[in-house]
Amino acid sequence: MADINECVPGRQAKVLSSGVARVVGKTGHIVEVSRVRRPPTGPLKDLVTVDVPGHGEVVLAPGDLELV
């Protein structure tokens, strides 16, 4: 599991768990790291966008990644 402070764009990350079964276990590059509120009154969420070759970009929580 990765911490939001360790997730830097351009770094490689392995997907540990995801709602998309064919992405689990694959390695990709981190594209974007963000903290968002959805809805605007909701809690703050950390999100990491990973570009997985052969699939495209997947948005995950930092806890669903392992940094390589």
Side-chain angles (χ1 to χ4, degrees), residues 2 4 7 13-21 23-36 38 45-52 55-66:
I4 189 72
C7 296
K14 182 177 180 181
V15 178
L16 298 177
S17 64
S18 172
V20 183
V23 174
V24 176
K26 294 202 176 181
T27 302
H29 290 280
I30 295 175
V31 176
E32 180 182 11
V33 180
S34 60
R35 287 190 163 144
V36 297
R38 291 186 190 144
K45 293 182 183 178
D46 296 331
L47 298 175
V48 179
T49 304
V50 179
D51 184 23
V52 179
H55 181 72
E57 293 183 351
V58 180
V59 179
L60 304 162
D64 296 335
L65 299 173
E66 177 184 324

PDB file of all heavy atoms in Angstrom, residues 2 4 7 13-21 23-36 38 45-52 55-66:
ATOM      1  N   ALA A   2       0.443   2.228  -0.736  1.00  0.00           N
ATOM      2  CA  ALA A   2       1.204   3.468  -0.869  1.00  0.00           C
ATOM      3  C   ALA A   2       0.533   4.588  -0.079  1.00  0.00           C
ATOM      4  O   ALA A   2      -0.662   4.571   0.155  1.00  0.00           O
ATOM      5  CB  ALA A   2       1.289   3.857  -2.334  1.00  0.00           C
ATOM      6  N   ILE A   4      -0.251   8.762   0.086  1.00  0.00           N
ATOM      7  CA  ILE A   4      -0.466   9.828  -0.898  1.00  0.00           C
ATOM      8  C   ILE A   4       0.792  10.671  -1.096  1.00  0.00           C
ATOM      9  O   ILE A   4       1.060  11.142  -2.196  1.00  0.00           O
ATOM     10  CB  ILE A   4      -1.676  10.707  -0.507  1.00  0.00           C
ATOM     11  CG1 ILE A   4      -2.033  11.687  -1.635  1.00  0.00           C
ATOM     12  CG2 ILE A   4      -1.417  11.477   0.771  1.00  0.00           C
ATOM     13  CD1 ILE A   4      -2.656  11.063  -2.812  1.00  0.00           C
ATOM     14  N   CYS A   7       3.222   9.090  -3.725  1.00  0.00           N
ATOM     15  CA  CYS A   7       2.738   8.987  -5.103  1.00  0.00           C
ATOM     16  C   CYS A   7       3.134  10.244  -5.874  1.00  0.00           C
ATOM     17  O   CYS A   7       2.609  11.328  -5.623  1.00  0.00           O
ATOM     18  CB  CYS A   7       1.230   8.806  -5.120  1.00  0.00           C
ATOM     19  SG  CYS A   7       0.678   7.272  -4.368  1.00  0.00           S
ATOM     20  N   ALA A  13       3.728   2.185 -10.561  1.00  0.00           N
ATOM     21  CA  ALA A  13       2.919   1.640  -9.480  1.00  0.00           C
ATOM     22  C   ALA A  13       2.232   0.369  -9.958  1.00  0.00           C
ATOM     23  O   ALA A  13       1.818   0.262 -11.116  1.00  0.00           O
ATOM     24  CB  ALA A  13       1.873   2.655  -9.034  1.00  0.00           C
ATOM     25  N   LYS A  14       2.134  -0.608  -9.072  1.00  0.00           N
ATOM     26  CA  LYS A  14       1.461  -1.866  -9.362  1.00  0.00           C
ATOM     27  C   LYS A  14       0.078  -1.818  -8.713  1.00  0.00           C
ATOM     28  O   LYS A  14      -0.054  -1.448  -7.546  1.00  0.00           O
ATOM     29  CB  LYS A  14       2.261  -3.028  -8.796  1.00  0.00           C
ATOM     30  CG  LYS A  14       1.660  -4.387  -9.087  1.00  0.00           C
ATOM     31  CD  LYS A  14       2.552  -5.489  -8.566  1.00  0.00           C
ATOM     32  CE  LYS A  14       1.944  -6.836  -8.861  1.00  0.00           C
ATOM     33  NZ  LYS A  14       2.790  -7.917  -8.350  1.00  0.00           N
ATOM     34  N   VAL A  15      -0.946  -2.201  -9.460  1.00  0.00           N
ATOM     35  CA  VAL A  15      -2.325  -2.177  -8.969  1.00  0.00           C
ATOM     36  C   VAL A  15      -2.574  -3.431  -8.131  1.00  0.00           C
ATOM     37  O   VAL A  15      -2.440  -4.552  -8.620  1.00  0.00           O
ATOM     38  CB  VAL A  15      -3.320  -2.111 -10.145  1.00  0.00           C
ATOM     39  CG1 VAL A  15      -4.746  -2.125  -9.632  1.00  0.00           C
ATOM     40  CG2 VAL A  15      -3.065  -0.890 -10.999  1.00  0.00           C
ATOM     41  N   LEU A  16      -2.917  -3.240  -6.850  1.00  0.00           N
ATOM     42  CA  LEU A  16      -3.185  -4.360  -5.949  1.00  0.00           C
ATOM     43  C   LEU A  16      -4.648  -4.771  -5.967  1.00  0.00           C
ATOM     44  O   LEU A  16      -4.960  -5.952  -5.888  1.00  0.00           O
ATOM     45  CB  LEU A  16      -2.767  -4.004  -4.519  1.00  0.00           C
ATOM     46  CG  LEU A  16      -1.283  -3.713  -4.304  1.00  0.00           C
ATOM     47  CD1 LEU A  16      -1.039  -3.311  -2.860  1.00  0.00           C
ATOM     48  CD2 LEU A  16      -0.443  -4.915  -4.673  1.00  0.00           C
ATOM     49  N   SER A  17      -5.541  -3.804  -6.035  1.00  0.00           N
ATOM     50  CA  SER A  17      -6.971  -4.120  -6.105  1.00  0.00           C
ATOM     51  C   SER A  17      -7.688  -3.032  -6.883  1.00  0.00           C
ATOM     52  O   SER A  17      -7.293  -1.867  -6.857  1.00  0.00           O
ATOM     53  CB  SER A  17      -7.566  -4.254  -4.702  1.00  0.00           C
ATOM     54  OG  SER A  17      -7.502  -3.034  -4.024  1.00  0.00           O
ATOM     55  N   SER A  18      -8.724  -3.446  -7.606  1.00  0.00           N
ATOM     56  CA  SER A  18      -9.482  -2.522  -8.445  1.00  0.00           C
ATOM     57  C   SER A  18     -10.829  -3.135  -8.759  1.00  0.00           C
ATOM     58  O   SER A  18     -11.009  -4.349  -8.655  1.00  0.00           O
ATOM     59  CB  SER A  18      -8.709  -2.248  -9.739  1.00  0.00           C
ATOM     60  OG  SER A  18      -9.491  -1.503 -10.638  1.00  0.00           O
ATOM     61  N   GLY A  19     -11.761  -2.309  -9.186  1.00  0.00           N
ATOM     62  CA  GLY A  19     -13.060  -2.795  -9.619  1.00  0.00           C
ATOM     63  C   GLY A  19     -12.980  -3.442 -10.994  1.00  0.00           C
ATOM     64  O   GLY A  19     -13.898  -4.136 -11.419  1.00  0.00           O
ATOM     65  N   VAL A  20     -11.877  -3.234 -11.694  1.00  0.00           N
ATOM     66  CA  VAL A  20     -11.665  -3.807 -13.017  1.00  0.00           C
ATOM     67  C   VAL A  20     -10.716  -4.993 -12.870  1.00  0.00           C
ATOM     68  O   VAL A  20      -9.533  -4.826 -12.587  1.00  0.00           O
ATOM     69  CB  VAL A  20     -11.062  -2.753 -13.984  1.00  0.00           C
ATOM     70  CG1 VAL A  20     -10.910  -3.329 -15.379  1.00  0.00           C
ATOM     71  CG2 VAL A  20     -11.926  -1.510 -14.011  1.00  0.00           C
ATOM     72  N   ALA A  21     -11.216  -6.203 -13.048  1.00  0.00           N
ATOM     73  CA  ALA A  21     -10.446  -7.416 -12.782  1.00  0.00           C
ATOM     74  C   ALA A  21      -9.195  -7.550 -13.651  1.00  0.00           C
ATOM     75  O   ALA A  21      -8.168  -8.025 -13.183  1.00  0.00           O
ATOM     76  CB  ALA A  21     -11.330  -8.642 -12.972  1.00  0.00           C
ATOM     77  N   VAL A  23      -7.145  -5.385 -14.624  1.00  0.00           N
ATOM     78  CA  VAL A  23      -6.113  -4.419 -14.279  1.00  0.00           C
ATOM     79  C   VAL A  23      -5.312  -4.861 -13.053  1.00  0.00           C
ATOM     80  O   VAL A  23      -4.161  -4.476 -12.890  1.00  0.00           O
ATOM     81  CB  VAL A  23      -6.758  -3.029 -14.026  1.00  0.00           C
ATOM     82  CG1 VAL A  23      -5.748  -2.030 -13.524  1.00  0.00           C
ATOM     83  CG2 VAL A  23      -7.410  -2.524 -15.298  1.00  0.00           C
ATOM     84  N   VAL A  24      -5.886  -5.706 -12.214  1.00  0.00           N
ATOM     85  CA  VAL A  24      -5.227  -6.139 -10.980  1.00  0.00           C
ATOM     86  C   VAL A  24      -3.933  -6.882 -11.302  1.00  0.00           C
ATOM     87  O   VAL A  24      -3.899  -7.775 -12.147  1.00  0.00           O
ATOM     88  CB  VAL A  24      -6.170  -7.037 -10.149  1.00  0.00           C
ATOM     89  CG1 VAL A  24      -5.464  -7.570  -8.924  1.00  0.00           C
ATOM     90  CG2 VAL A  24      -7.405  -6.262  -9.753  1.00  0.00           C
ATOM     91  N   GLY A  25      -2.848  -6.476 -10.650  1.00  0.00           N
ATOM     92  CA  GLY A  25      -1.551  -7.105 -10.847  1.00  0.00           C
ATOM     93  C   GLY A  25      -0.703  -6.460 -11.924  1.00  0.00           C
ATOM     94  O   GLY A  25       0.467  -6.788 -12.066  1.00  0.00           O
ATOM     95  N   LYS A  26      -1.267  -5.527 -12.694  1.00  0.00           N
ATOM     96  CA  LYS A  26      -0.500  -4.872 -13.754  1.00  0.00           C
ATOM     97  C   LYS A  26       0.210  -3.634 -13.211  1.00  0.00           C
ATOM     98  O   LYS A  26      -0.172  -3.055 -12.221  1.00  0.00           O
ATOM     99  CB  LYS A  26      -1.416  -4.490 -14.901  1.00  0.00           C
ATOM    100  CG  LYS A  26      -1.990  -5.703 -15.591  1.00  0.00           C
ATOM    101  CD  LYS A  26      -2.429  -5.391 -16.962  1.00  0.00           C
ATOM    102  CE  LYS A  26      -2.899  -6.689 -17.603  1.00  0.00           C
ATOM    103  NZ  LYS A  26      -3.335  -6.500 -18.946  1.00  0.00           N
ATOM    104  N   THR A  27       1.261  -3.243 -13.912  1.00  0.00           N
ATOM    105  CA  THR A  27       2.063  -2.093 -13.531  1.00  0.00           C
ATOM    106  C   THR A  27       1.867  -0.981 -14.548  1.00  0.00           C
ATOM    107  O   THR A  27       1.825  -1.235 -15.748  1.00  0.00           O
ATOM    108  CB  THR A  27       3.553  -2.478 -13.471  1.00  0.00           C
ATOM    109  OG1 THR A  27       3.703  -3.546 -12.541  1.00  0.00           O
ATOM    110  CG2 THR A  27       4.404  -1.313 -13.024  1.00  0.00           C
ATOM    111  N   GLY A  28       1.759   0.250 -14.047  1.00  0.00           N
ATOM    112  CA  GLY A  28       1.605   1.411 -14.920  1.00  0.00           C
ATOM    113  C   GLY A  28       2.283   2.618 -14.311  1.00  0.00           C
ATOM    114  O   GLY A  28       2.880   2.539 -13.238  1.00  0.00           O
ATOM    115  N   HIS A  29       2.185   3.738 -14.987  1.00  0.00           N
ATOM    116  CA  HIS A  29       2.798   4.982 -14.524  1.00  0.00           C
ATOM    117  C   HIS A  29       1.738   5.892 -13.919  1.00  0.00           C
ATOM    118  O   HIS A  29       0.641   6.017 -14.451  1.00  0.00           O
ATOM    119  CB  HIS A  29       3.488   5.716 -15.683  1.00  0.00           C
ATOM    120  CG  HIS A  29       4.710   5.019 -16.163  1.00  0.00           C
ATOM    121  ND1 HIS A  29       5.921   5.124 -15.518  1.00  0.00           N
ATOM    122  CD2 HIS A  29       4.924   4.198 -17.209  1.00  0.00           C
ATOM    123  CE1 HIS A  29       6.812   4.399 -16.151  1.00  0.00           C
ATOM    124  NE2 HIS A  29       6.228   3.821 -17.191  1.00  0.00           N
ATOM    125  N   ILE A  30       2.104   6.540 -12.816  1.00  0.00           N
ATOM    126  CA  ILE A  30       1.202   7.494 -12.180  1.00  0.00           C
ATOM    127  C   ILE A  30       1.140   8.739 -13.054  1.00  0.00           C
ATOM    128  O   ILE A  30       2.164   9.286 -13.451  1.00  0.00           O
ATOM    129  CB  ILE A  30       1.690   7.852 -10.765  1.00  0.00           C
ATOM    130  CG1 ILE A  30       1.639   6.613  -9.872  1.00  0.00           C
ATOM    131  CG2 ILE A  30       0.853   8.984 -10.177  1.00  0.00           C
ATOM    132  CD1 ILE A  30       2.215   6.818  -8.478  1.00  0.00           C
ATOM    133  N   VAL A  31      -0.082   9.173 -13.366  1.00  0.00           N
ATOM    134  CA  VAL A  31      -0.297  10.329 -14.218  1.00  0.00           C
ATOM    135  C   VAL A  31      -0.682  11.551 -13.389  1.00  0.00           C
ATOM    136  O   VAL A  31      -0.193  12.648 -13.637  1.00  0.00           O
ATOM    137  CB  VAL A  31      -1.408  10.045 -15.256  1.00  0.00           C
ATOM    138  CG1 VAL A  31      -1.702  11.266 -16.092  1.00  0.00           C
ATOM    139  CG2 VAL A  31      -1.034   8.872 -16.128  1.00  0.00           C
ATOM    140  N   GLU A  32      -1.553  11.342 -12.393  1.00  0.00           N
ATOM    141  CA  GLU A  32      -2.062  12.473 -11.619  1.00  0.00           C
ATOM    142  C   GLU A  32      -2.357  12.036 -10.187  1.00  0.00           C
ATOM    143  O   GLU A  32      -2.803  10.921  -9.946  1.00  0.00           O
ATOM    144  CB  GLU A  32      -3.349  12.986 -12.269  1.00  0.00           C
ATOM    145  CG  GLU A  32      -3.978  14.161 -11.571  1.00  0.00           C
ATOM    146  CD  GLU A  32      -5.275  14.600 -12.215  1.00  0.00           C
ATOM    147  OE1 GLU A  32      -5.813  13.884 -13.072  1.00  0.00           O
ATOM    148  OE2 GLU A  32      -5.756  15.671 -11.830  1.00  0.00           O
ATOM    149  N   VAL A  33      -2.104  12.937  -9.250  1.00  0.00           N
ATOM    150  CA  VAL A  33      -2.413  12.725  -7.840  1.00  0.00           C
ATOM    151  C   VAL A  33      -3.289  13.895  -7.402  1.00  0.00           C
ATOM    152  O   VAL A  33      -2.944  15.048  -7.657  1.00  0.00           O
ATOM    153  CB  VAL A  33      -1.131  12.677  -6.983  1.00  0.00           C
ATOM    154  CG1 VAL A  33      -1.466  12.464  -5.519  1.00  0.00           C
ATOM    155  CG2 VAL A  33      -0.197  11.588  -7.483  1.00  0.00           C
ATOM    156  N   SER A  34      -4.438  13.590  -6.787  1.00  0.00           N
ATOM    157  CA  SER A  34      -5.336  14.684  -6.420  1.00  0.00           C
ATOM    158  C   SER A  34      -6.078  14.385  -5.128  1.00  0.00           C
ATOM    159  O   SER A  34      -6.214  13.237  -4.715  1.00  0.00           O
ATOM    160  CB  SER A  34      -6.337  14.943  -7.547  1.00  0.00           C
ATOM    161  OG  SER A  34      -7.101  13.783  -7.791  1.00  0.00           O
ATOM    162  N   ARG A  35      -6.550  15.458  -4.509  1.00  0.00           N
ATOM    163  CA  ARG A  35      -7.429  15.375  -3.349  1.00  0.00           C
ATOM    164  C   ARG A  35      -8.706  16.096  -3.738  1.00  0.00           C
ATOM    165  O   ARG A  35      -8.676  17.267  -4.122  1.00  0.00           O
ATOM    166  CB  ARG A  35      -6.793  16.051  -2.140  1.00  0.00           C
ATOM    167  CG  ARG A  35      -5.672  15.238  -1.580  1.00  0.00           C
ATOM    168  CD  ARG A  35      -5.224  15.782  -0.255  1.00  0.00           C
ATOM    169  NE  ARG A  35      -4.454  14.741   0.415  1.00  0.00           N
ATOM    170  CZ  ARG A  35      -3.404  14.989   1.159  1.00  0.00           C
ATOM    171  NH1 ARG A  35      -3.013  16.218   1.379  1.00  0.00           N
ATOM    172  NH2 ARG A  35      -2.756  13.988   1.714  1.00  0.00           N
ATOM    173  N   VAL A  36      -9.830  15.404  -3.662  1.00  0.00           N
ATOM    174  CA  VAL A  36     -11.102  15.973  -4.113  1.00  0.00           C
ATOM    175  C   VAL A  36     -12.181  15.803  -3.055  1.00  0.00           C
ATOM    176  O   VAL A  36     -12.081  14.948  -2.174  1.00  0.00           O
ATOM    177  CB  VAL A  36     -11.569  15.313  -5.430  1.00  0.00           C
ATOM    178  CG1 VAL A  36     -10.609  15.582  -6.551  1.00  0.00           C
ATOM    179  CG2 VAL A  36     -11.769  13.828  -5.254  1.00  0.00           C
ATOM    180  N   ARG A  38     -16.273  15.211  -3.231  1.00  0.00           N
ATOM    181  CA  ARG A  38     -17.472  14.960  -4.032  1.00  0.00           C
ATOM    182  C   ARG A  38     -18.516  14.339  -3.139  1.00  0.00           C
ATOM    183  O   ARG A  38     -18.295  13.223  -2.659  1.00  0.00           O
ATOM    184  CB  ARG A  38     -17.158  14.031  -5.205  1.00  0.00           C
ATOM    185  CG  ARG A  38     -16.301  14.707  -6.209  1.00  0.00           C
ATOM    186  CD  ARG A  38     -16.129  13.829  -7.432  1.00  0.00           C
ATOM    187  NE  ARG A  38     -15.114  14.406  -8.290  1.00  0.00           N
ATOM    188  CZ  ARG A  38     -14.251  13.702  -8.985  1.00  0.00           C
ATOM    189  NH1 ARG A  38     -14.262  12.413  -8.947  1.00  0.00           N
ATOM    190  NH2 ARG A  38     -13.360  14.295  -9.726  1.00  0.00           N
ATOM    191  N   LYS A  45     -11.091  13.146  -0.310  1.00  0.00           N
ATOM    192  CA  LYS A  45     -10.628  11.836  -0.786  1.00  0.00           C
ATOM    193  C   LYS A  45      -9.329  12.006  -1.561  1.00  0.00           C
ATOM    194  O   LYS A  45      -9.177  12.928  -2.345  1.00  0.00           O
ATOM    195  CB  LYS A  45     -11.658  11.204  -1.720  1.00  0.00           C
ATOM    196  CG  LYS A  45     -12.945  10.812  -1.079  1.00  0.00           C
ATOM    197  CD  LYS A  45     -13.845  10.160  -2.108  1.00  0.00           C
ATOM    198  CE  LYS A  45     -15.186   9.811  -1.524  1.00  0.00           C
ATOM    199  NZ  LYS A  45     -16.077   9.217  -2.540  1.00  0.00           N
ATOM    200  N   ASP A  46      -8.404  11.073  -1.351  1.00  0.00           N
ATOM    201  CA  ASP A  46      -7.161  11.033  -2.109  1.00  0.00           C
ATOM    202  C   ASP A  46      -7.354  10.096  -3.295  1.00  0.00           C
ATOM    203  O   ASP A  46      -7.807   8.963  -3.121  1.00  0.00           O
ATOM    204  CB  ASP A  46      -6.014  10.520  -1.247  1.00  0.00           C
ATOM    205  CG  ASP A  46      -5.711  11.444  -0.082  1.00  0.00           C
ATOM    206  OD1 ASP A  46      -5.948  12.651  -0.213  1.00  0.00           O
ATOM    207  OD2 ASP A  46      -5.230  10.952   0.949  1.00  0.00           O
ATOM    208  N   LEU A  47      -7.016  10.553  -4.493  1.00  0.00           N
ATOM    209  CA  LEU A  47      -7.150   9.743  -5.702  1.00  0.00           C
ATOM    210  C   LEU A  47      -5.868   9.786  -6.512  1.00  0.00           C
ATOM    211  O   LEU A  47      -5.198  10.822  -6.588  1.00  0.00           O
ATOM    212  CB  LEU A  47      -8.309  10.246  -6.560  1.00  0.00           C
ATOM    213  CG  LEU A  47      -9.690  10.192  -5.944  1.00  0.00           C
ATOM    214  CD1 LEU A  47     -10.707  10.846  -6.867  1.00  0.00           C
ATOM    215  CD2 LEU A  47     -10.100   8.770  -5.652  1.00  0.00           C
ATOM    216  N   VAL A  48      -5.524   8.652  -7.109  1.00  0.00           N
ATOM    217  CA  VAL A  48      -4.332   8.549  -7.957  1.00  0.00           C
ATOM    218  C   VAL A  48      -4.765   7.985  -9.306  1.00  0.00           C
ATOM    219  O   VAL A  48      -5.448   6.963  -9.369  1.00  0.00           O
ATOM    220  CB  VAL A  48      -3.272   7.619  -7.312  1.00  0.00           C
ATOM    221  CG1 VAL A  48      -2.062   7.501  -8.203  1.00  0.00           C
ATOM    222  CG2 VAL A  48      -2.890   8.113  -5.935  1.00  0.00           C
ATOM    223  N   THR A  49      -4.375   8.648 -10.393  1.00  0.00           N
ATOM    224  CA  THR A  49      -4.673   8.174 -11.739  1.00  0.00           C
ATOM    225  C   THR A  49      -3.440   7.461 -12.275  1.00  0.00           C
ATOM    226  O   THR A  49      -2.352   8.027 -12.296  1.00  0.00           O
ATOM    227  CB  THR A  49      -5.046   9.352 -12.659  1.00  0.00           C
ATOM    228  OG1 THR A  49      -6.130  10.064 -12.084  1.00  0.00           O
ATOM    229  CG2 THR A  49      -5.449   8.860 -14.034  1.00  0.00           C
ATOM    230  N   VAL A  50      -3.634   6.204 -12.684  1.00  0.00           N
ATOM    231  CA  VAL A  50      -2.529   5.373 -13.193  1.00  0.00           C
ATOM    232  C   VAL A  50      -2.826   4.991 -14.641  1.00  0.00           C
ATOM    233  O   VAL A  50      -3.936   4.548 -14.949  1.00  0.00           O
ATOM    234  CB  VAL A  50      -2.369   4.091 -12.337  1.00  0.00           C
ATOM    235  CG1 VAL A  50      -1.255   3.228 -12.872  1.00  0.00           C
ATOM    236  CG2 VAL A  50      -2.127   4.449 -10.885  1.00  0.00           C
ATOM    237  N   ASP A  51      -1.860   5.174 -15.517  1.00  0.00           N
ATOM    238  CA  ASP A  51      -1.989   4.769 -16.909  1.00  0.00           C
ATOM    239  C   ASP A  51      -1.477   3.338 -17.038  1.00  0.00           C
ATOM    240  O   ASP A  51      -0.280   3.081 -16.921  1.00  0.00           O
ATOM    241  CB  ASP A  51      -1.194   5.703 -17.812  1.00  0.00           C
ATOM    242  CG  ASP A  51      -1.372   5.383 -19.287  1.00  0.00           C
ATOM    243  OD1 ASP A  51      -2.394   4.760 -19.647  1.00  0.00           O
ATOM    244  OD2 ASP A  51      -0.496   5.757 -20.084  1.00  0.00           O
ATOM    245  N   VAL A  52      -2.392   2.403 -17.261  1.00  0.00           N
ATOM    246  CA  VAL A  52      -2.055   0.979 -17.377  1.00  0.00           C
ATOM    247  C   VAL A  52      -1.980   0.624 -18.860  1.00  0.00           C
ATOM    248  O   VAL A  52      -2.965   0.785 -19.582  1.00  0.00           O
ATOM    249  CB  VAL A  52      -3.111   0.105 -16.669  1.00  0.00           C
ATOM    250  CG1 VAL A  52      -2.786  -1.364 -16.809  1.00  0.00           C
ATOM    251  CG2 VAL A  52      -3.231   0.491 -15.202  1.00  0.00           C
ATOM    252  N   HIS A  55      -4.865  -0.873 -21.281  1.00  0.00           N
ATOM    253  CA  HIS A  55      -6.179  -0.623 -20.694  1.00  0.00           C
ATOM    254  C   HIS A  55      -6.543   0.847 -20.704  1.00  0.00           C
ATOM    255  O   HIS A  55      -7.661   1.208 -21.001  1.00  0.00           O
ATOM    256  CB  HIS A  55      -6.250  -1.164 -19.264  1.00  0.00           C
ATOM    257  CG  HIS A  55      -7.593  -0.936 -18.639  1.00  0.00           C
ATOM    258  ND1 HIS A  55      -8.703  -1.646 -19.034  1.00  0.00           N
ATOM    259  CD2 HIS A  55      -8.014  -0.065 -17.709  1.00  0.00           C
ATOM    260  CE1 HIS A  55      -9.752  -1.220 -18.341  1.00  0.00           C
ATOM    261  NE2 HIS A  55      -9.346  -0.251 -17.533  1.00  0.00           N
ATOM    262  N   GLY A  56      -5.629   1.711 -20.345  1.00  0.00           N
ATOM    263  CA  GLY A  56      -5.914   3.141 -20.260  1.00  0.00           C
ATOM    264  C   GLY A  56      -5.733   3.629 -18.840  1.00  0.00           C
ATOM    265  O   GLY A  56      -5.090   2.987 -18.018  1.00  0.00           O
ATOM    266  N   GLU A  57      -6.333   4.774 -18.531  1.00  0.00           N
ATOM    267  CA  GLU A  57      -6.176   5.374 -17.213  1.00  0.00           C
ATOM    268  C   GLU A  57      -7.220   4.835 -16.240  1.00  0.00           C
ATOM    269  O   GLU A  57      -8.389   4.709 -16.581  1.00  0.00           O
ATOM    270  CB  GLU A  57      -6.280   6.897 -17.312  1.00  0.00           C
ATOM    271  CG  GLU A  57      -5.131   7.496 -18.081  1.00  0.00           C
ATOM    272  CD  GLU A  57      -5.182   9.008 -18.133  1.00  0.00           C
ATOM    273  OE1 GLU A  57      -6.183   9.613 -17.720  1.00  0.00           O
ATOM    274  OE2 GLU A  57      -4.190   9.587 -18.609  1.00  0.00           O
ATOM    275  N   VAL A  58      -6.764   4.535 -15.028  1.00  0.00           N
ATOM    276  CA  VAL A  58      -7.619   4.009 -13.963  1.00  0.00           C
ATOM    277  C   VAL A  58      -7.412   4.889 -12.734  1.00  0.00           C
ATOM    278  O   VAL A  58      -6.275   5.206 -12.392  1.00  0.00           O
ATOM    279  CB  VAL A  58      -7.249   2.548 -13.630  1.00  0.00           C
ATOM    280  CG1 VAL A  58      -8.130   1.996 -12.545  1.00  0.00           C
ATOM    281  CG2 VAL A  58      -7.324   1.687 -14.866  1.00  0.00           C
ATOM    282  N   VAL A  59      -8.511   5.274 -12.085  1.00  0.00           N
ATOM    283  CA  VAL A  59      -8.432   6.101 -10.882  1.00  0.00           C
ATOM    284  C   VAL A  59      -8.608   5.199  -9.666  1.00  0.00           C
ATOM    285  O   VAL A  59      -9.584   4.451  -9.567  1.00  0.00           O
ATOM    286  CB  VAL A  59      -9.513   7.199 -10.906  1.00  0.00           C
ATOM    287  CG1 VAL A  59      -9.437   8.041  -9.643  1.00  0.00           C
ATOM    288  CG2 VAL A  59      -9.356   8.074 -12.133  1.00  0.00           C
ATOM    289  N   LEU A  60      -7.648   5.265  -8.744  1.00  0.00           N
ATOM    290  CA  LEU A  60      -7.635   4.400  -7.567  1.00  0.00           C
ATOM    291  C   LEU A  60      -7.302   5.193  -6.321  1.00  0.00           C
ATOM    292  O   LEU A  60      -6.752   6.293  -6.395  1.00  0.00           O
ATOM    293  CB  LEU A  60      -6.568   3.313  -7.739  1.00  0.00           C
ATOM    294  CG  LEU A  60      -6.657   2.436  -8.976  1.00  0.00           C
ATOM    295  CD1 LEU A  60      -5.339   1.745  -9.214  1.00  0.00           C
ATOM    296  CD2 LEU A  60      -7.757   1.427  -8.797  1.00  0.00           C
ATOM    297  N   ALA A  61      -7.571   4.607  -5.176  1.00  0.00           N
ATOM    298  CA  ALA A  61      -7.116   5.159  -3.901  1.00  0.00           C
ATOM    299  C   ALA A  61      -5.653   4.765  -3.724  1.00  0.00           C
ATOM    300  O   ALA A  61      -5.214   3.726  -4.227  1.00  0.00           O
ATOM    301  CB  ALA A  61      -7.956   4.609  -2.765  1.00  0.00           C
ATOM    302  N   PRO A  62      -4.866   5.569  -3.011  1.00  0.00           N
ATOM    303  CA  PRO A  62      -3.448   5.231  -2.813  1.00  0.00           C
ATOM    304  C   PRO A  62      -3.247   3.877  -2.127  1.00  0.00           C
ATOM    305  O   PRO A  62      -2.239   3.212  -2.364  1.00  0.00           O
ATOM    306  CB  PRO A  62      -2.916   6.358  -1.944  1.00  0.00           C
ATOM    307  CG  PRO A  62      -3.863   7.469  -2.104  1.00  0.00           C
ATOM    308  CD  PRO A  62      -5.195   6.859  -2.434  1.00  0.00           C
ATOM    309  N   GLY A  63      -4.173   3.441  -1.310  1.00  0.00           N
ATOM    310  CA  GLY A  63      -4.070   2.159  -0.637  1.00  0.00           C
ATOM    311  C   GLY A  63      -4.191   0.965  -1.568  1.00  0.00           C
ATOM    312  O   GLY A  63      -3.869  -0.171  -1.196  1.00  0.00           O
ATOM    313  N   ASP A  64      -4.667   1.187  -2.789  1.00  0.00           N
ATOM    314  CA  ASP A  64      -4.818   0.112  -3.778  1.00  0.00           C
ATOM    315  C   ASP A  64      -3.593  -0.038  -4.660  1.00  0.00           C
ATOM    316  O   ASP A  64      -3.617  -0.791  -5.630  1.00  0.00           O
ATOM    317  CB  ASP A  64      -6.042   0.365  -4.643  1.00  0.00           C
ATOM    318  CG  ASP A  64      -7.344   0.342  -3.863  1.00  0.00           C
ATOM    319  OD1 ASP A  64      -7.375  -0.321  -2.802  1.00  0.00           O
ATOM    320  OD2 ASP A  64      -8.316   0.978  -4.300  1.00  0.00           O
ATOM    321  N   LEU A  65      -2.517   0.691  -4.348  1.00  0.00           N
ATOM    322  CA  LEU A  65      -1.302   0.670  -5.158  1.00  0.00           C
ATOM    323  C   LEU A  65      -0.098   0.230  -4.360  1.00  0.00           C
ATOM    324  O   LEU A  65      -0.043   0.403  -3.146  1.00  0.00           O
ATOM    325  CB  LEU A  65      -0.998   2.076  -5.690  1.00  0.00           C
ATOM    326  CG  LEU A  65      -2.015   2.725  -6.593  1.00  0.00           C
ATOM    327  CD1 LEU A  65      -1.616   4.155  -6.869  1.00  0.00           C
ATOM    328  CD2 LEU A  65      -2.132   1.975  -7.892  1.00  0.00           C
ATOM    329  N   GLU A  66       0.872  -0.338  -5.070  1.00  0.00           N
ATOM    330  CA  GLU A  66       2.180  -0.636  -4.508  1.00  0.00           C
ATOM    331  C   GLU A  66       3.194   0.051  -5.413  1.00  0.00           C
ATOM    332  O   GLU A  66       3.203  -0.174  -6.618  1.00  0.00           O
ATOM    333  CB  GLU A  66       2.432  -2.145  -4.489  1.00  0.00           C
ATOM    334  CG  GLU A  66       3.790  -2.534  -3.987  1.00  0.00           C
ATOM    335  CD  GLU A  66       4.017  -4.037  -4.084  1.00  0.00           C
ATOM    336  OE1 GLU A  66       3.060  -4.797  -3.869  1.00  0.00           O
ATOM    337  OE2 GLU A  66       5.148  -4.426  -4.372  1.00  0.00           O
TER     338      GLU A  66
END
